[in-house]
């Protein structure tokens, strides 16, 4: 398997060597094209499994992302159930599983390429004042597109869900499901909290720069302890835990579906098929199947037991609304007859982090490192630079509201990258940064550099997903509403200032770490480094961390914003559930990919119970 990855990279280098004058932009373009070619040339899955769809299944799972792959695998454990998993994208390939290349993937066709609506309050440095919102359109979904950063969040996140009226979702309730899917290889993980035998591999990258060592040391000098942040206490610092194994991305597809490929005749997987509607009997309010579009044709497939939406926090609410489930007036406005009036598309949440750039006198990662023969040969043995998830090395959690409390509820996460935007021009396109802003802030630095992303963990602002039309092929309207609540702007500025304050610690002084002194276009009239300047800065560099959630909120019947109950059943519609990040009533204080695995594992047990299998 890794040899095939080596062939991919070696062929790329051969192509590049034909043009010794190839510029950096051409290198990146060639790489994207090569990934697409690799999908057919060296693919570990067949594009067409040769499975003939039948007219009716017990369960239809829509979306083969983090949740969908896990759920389909668990439900198909019952050989008496026929399960259909439908994915809009194609197969995962070898190039996608090289961790260092994570940022390139956003520029390929495995990304839905969503964009937020224009705003005059955020995303001001982005093209047309719109933030790019990547989402995975591939087997494995966003677990193939993400940076593999593994965090559970804080135990209080789940106790909060339970306190909101969601019985069975306290930390005590969900901990067994975290442990069920984890195949952790973290040596210092707390034994009573970690899972060791699950399908999802979690490990430390084995490559580290002096920058990461300085970051970890500086955070400790600032008062944090080095600890397993997925254990009992979250606030602390650590080298990154990631969903990788022997230097390879460990996606949901790889974890759950590869081991059973060809072994379960009762599980059918349909790729390159877009579900355009859930079929619902308007009289009985019962879901009985889906309409899917593939190869230019439309088909109906029926479900005897349940339809389960695992399409993510953008596609799931879109599909619900296209099917007549959502805010009644909005549906009428776009020509859809409402079946159930629910607050679908509301409660949209995300994590943002205004990247802060630094220079240093020690070596950082440069784009040229990706094409060094030594690095490639190390990767054949599962070691070295290529196994580093998108250049992210270390991570730390602070509770800025209660800094004196060791066991806090973190409201700030910092993660450190061993490279700069100047050395990674793919970022210009991935984030959609305006060219003039990019040139002003990052070009011609002539020094090694690194970045820290200070991510606010518990935002209070809420956005919304709306339909653009009743055409399922039209992308929905995404209103991020970042900084709608003033506390989010306040903590974003405090997070930037906290990040810069680490420069005063001996750890960073030892590598001569300095703030990259560039003035943000659009903020130049404000006093440099004043609070007003940093407010302007974060409104310009409003980088999403791709954690969209909450748009089909879980809540009790008394909650007017709730879309699903505590067993993830859609209110007012029988045999229809949502199992993905949409159901989160409040975003967790961390990266949600791990918690989505947990949601899928717990949902699988609930579905089995409700269908008399357990």
């Amino acid at each position: 398997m890794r040899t095939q990855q080596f062939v991919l990279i070696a062929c790329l280098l051969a192509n590049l060597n034909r043009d010794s004058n190839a510029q950096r932009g051409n290198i990146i373009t060639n790489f994207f094209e090569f990934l697409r070619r690799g999908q057919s040339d060296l693919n570990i899955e067949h594009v067409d499994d040769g499975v003939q769809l039948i007219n009716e299944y017990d369960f239809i799972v829509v979306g083969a992302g983090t949740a969908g792959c896990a759920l389909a695998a668990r439900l198909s454990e019952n050989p008496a159930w026929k399960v259909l998993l439908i994915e809009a994208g194609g197969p995962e390939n070898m190039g996608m599983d090289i961790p260092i290349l994570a940022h390139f993937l956003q520029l390929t066709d495995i990304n839905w390429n969503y964009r937020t609506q224009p705003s005059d309050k955020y995303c001001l440095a982005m093209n047309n004042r719109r933030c790019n919102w990547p989402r995975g359109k591939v087997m494995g979904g966003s677990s193939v597109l993400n940076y593999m950063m593994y965090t559970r969040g804080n135990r209080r996140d789940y106790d909060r869900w339970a306190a909101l009226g969601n019985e069975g979702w306290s930390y005590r309730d969900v901990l067994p499901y975290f442990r069920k899917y984890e195949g952790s290889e973290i040596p210092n993980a707390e034994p009573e909290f970690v899972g060791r035998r699950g399908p999802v591999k979690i490990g430390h990258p084995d490559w580290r720069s002096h920058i990461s060592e300085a970051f970890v040391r500086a955070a400790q000098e600032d008062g944090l302890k080095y600890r397993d942040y997925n254990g009992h206490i979250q606030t602390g610092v650590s080298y990154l835990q990631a969903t990788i194994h022997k230097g390879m991305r460990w996606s949901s597809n790889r974890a759950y579906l590869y081991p059973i490929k060809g072994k379960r005749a009762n599980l059918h997987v349909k790729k390159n098929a877009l579900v355009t509607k859930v079929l619902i009997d308007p009289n009985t309010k019962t879901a009985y199947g889906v309409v899917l579009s593939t190869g230019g044709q439309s088909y109906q497939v029926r479900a005897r037991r349940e339809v389960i939406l695992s399409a993510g926090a953008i596609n799931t609410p879109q599909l619900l609304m296209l099917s007549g489930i959502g805010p009644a007036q909005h549906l009428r406005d776009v020509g859809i007859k409402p079946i159930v009036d629910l607050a679908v598309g509301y409660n949209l949440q995300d994590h943002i982090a205004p990247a802060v750039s630094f220079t240093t006198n020690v070596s950082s990662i440069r784009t040229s490192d990706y094409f060094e023969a030594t690095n490639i040969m190390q990767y054949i043995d599962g070691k070295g630079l290529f196994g580093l998830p998108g250049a992210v090395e270390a991570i730390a959690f602070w509770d800025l509201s209660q800094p004196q409390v060791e066991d806090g509820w973190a409201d700030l996460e910092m993660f450190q990258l061993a490279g700069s935007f100047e050395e990674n021009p793919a970022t210009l396109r991935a984030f959609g940064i305006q060219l003039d802003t990019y040139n002003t802030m990052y070009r011609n630095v002539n020094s090694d550099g690194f970045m820290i992303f200070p991510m606010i963990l518990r935002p209070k602002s809420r956005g919304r997903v709306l339909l653009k039309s009743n055409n399922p092929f039209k992308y929905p309207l995404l209103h991020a509403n970042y900084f709608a609540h003033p506390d989010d702007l306040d903590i974003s500025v405090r997070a930037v200032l906290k990040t810069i304050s680490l420069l005063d610690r001996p750890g960073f002084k030892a590598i001569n770490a300095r703030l990259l002194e560039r003035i943000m276009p659009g903020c130049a009239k404000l006093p440099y480094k004043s609070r007003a300047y940093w407010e302007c800065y974060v409104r310009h560099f409003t980088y999403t961390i791709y954690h969209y959630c909450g748009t089909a909120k879980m809540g009790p019947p008394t909650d007017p914003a709730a879309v699903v109950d505590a067993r993830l059943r859609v209110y007012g519609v029988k045999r229809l559930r949502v199992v993905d990040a949409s159901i989160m009533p409040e975003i967790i204080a961390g990266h949600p990919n791990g918690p989505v695995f947990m949601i899928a594992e717990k949902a699988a047990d609930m579905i089995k119970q409700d269908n008399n299998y357990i």
Side-chain angles (χ1 to χ4, degrees), residues 72 94 187 258 264 321 334 354 359 380 390 418 455 484 503 595:
M94 287 298 176
Y258 285 8
R264 292 186 186 170
M321 290 187 283
V334 294
T359 59
I380 298 300
M455 183 173 90
L503 295 177

Side-chain angles (χ1 to χ4, degrees), residues 398-464:
W398 276 267
D399 184 347
L400 296 184
S401 301
Q402 301 182 87
Q404 74 284 358
V405 178
E406 179 181 358
D407 180 13
W409 191 353
D411 50 20
L412 167 63
E413 173 192 309
M414 291 185 202
F415 56 91
Q416 167 263 323
L417 280 75
S420 69
F421 279 166
E422 181 188 24
E423 282 298 326
N424 186 2
T427 308
L428 173 66
R429 293 169 60 191
F431 280 111
I433 304 172
Q434 297 169 7
L435 182 58
D436 288 347
T437 300
Y438 180 84
N439 288 336
T440 299
M441 298 301 291
Y442 300 122
R443 295 306 297 269
N444 302 316
V445 175
N446 300 317
S447 175
D448 283 283
F450 66 97
M451 292 180 291
I452 296 177
F453 283 73
M455 183 173 90
I456 63 169
L457 289 174
R458 292 155 56 197
K460 297 179 180 178
S461 301
R462 299 291 183 266
R464 187 179 175 189

Side-chain angles (χ1 to χ4, degrees), residues 199-217:
V200 180
K201 299 294 186 183
I202 300 156
H204 286 308
D206 81 325
W207 190 93
R208 292 173 185 169
S209 72
H210 292 305
I211 298 168
S212 67
E213 294 166 356
F215 174 81
V216 170
R217 180 183 167 194

Side-chain angles (χ1 to χ4, degrees), residues 67 158 161 164 166 169 174 308-314 316-317 320 346-349 548-556 559 561-570 576-588 595-596 598-600 602-603 606:
Y158 307 101
W161 289 8
L164 290 172
N166 298 296
W169 290 90
V174 303
I308 305 161
L309 304 187
S310 296
I314 296 174
T316 284
L320 285 170
Y346 288 90
N347 196 46
L348 174 62
Q349 298 160 68
Y548 330 113
C549 65
T551 48
K553 181 184 179 183
M554 175 174 61
D559 182 353
V563 175
V564 302
D565 65 15
R567 298 188 76 78
L568 310 187
R569 299 171 296 199
V570 175
L576 180 63
R577 290 190 212 233
V578 174
V579 180
D580 59 29
S582 301
I583 66 95
M584 294 185 178
E586 292 183 355
I587 196 167
I588 56 99
V596 171
M598 176 275 291
I599 290 169
K602 181 171 171 59
M606 292 191 293

Side-chain angles (χ1 to χ4, degrees), residues 5 8-9 12 28-39 91-114 132-148 243-244 248-251 254 370 379 386 388-391 424-431 546:
Q5 286 184 323
L8 282 170
I9 300 167
L12 171 62
I28 301 302
T29 301
N30 288 344
F31 177 73
F32 299 150
E33 287 302 316
F34 193 79
L35 273 184
R36 280 190 279 271
R37 292 201 303 274
Q39 187 156 333
E92 183 178 3
N93 71 39
M94 287 298 176
M96 299 170 191
D97 293 337
I98 303 173
I100 193 65
L101 303 179
H103 42 278
F104 293 152
L105 299 179
Q106 295 178 31
L107 305 181
T108 69
D109 55 9
I110 71 167
N111 181 6
W112 281 94
N113 284 309
Y114 290 120
N132 290 350
W133 272 18
R135 286 283 84 189
K137 187 181 182 183
V138 63
M139 290 296 298
S142 293
S143 71
V144 174
L145 201 67
N146 70 4
Y147 279 61
M148 295 148 274
T243 48
I244 58 173
M248 297 182 71
R249 176 190 293 274
W250 213 257
S251 69
R254 178 180 297 280
Y370 298 176
Y379 190 63
F386 277 46
L388 190 64
N424 186 2
T427 308
L428 173 66
R429 293 169 60 191
F431 280 111
Y546 326 120

Side-chain angles (χ1 to χ4, degrees), residues 300-332:
Q300 289 191 11
V301 185
R302 292 178 173 257
R304 278 187 291 267
R305 295 178 183 268
E306 293 188 21
V307 174
I308 305 161
L309 304 187
S310 296
I314 296 174
N315 297 74
T316 284
Q318 179 190 23
L319 184 53
L320 285 170
M321 290 187 283
L322 288 169
S323 307
I325 303 168
Q329 188 57 55
H330 173 55
L331 298 186
R332 294 189 189 100

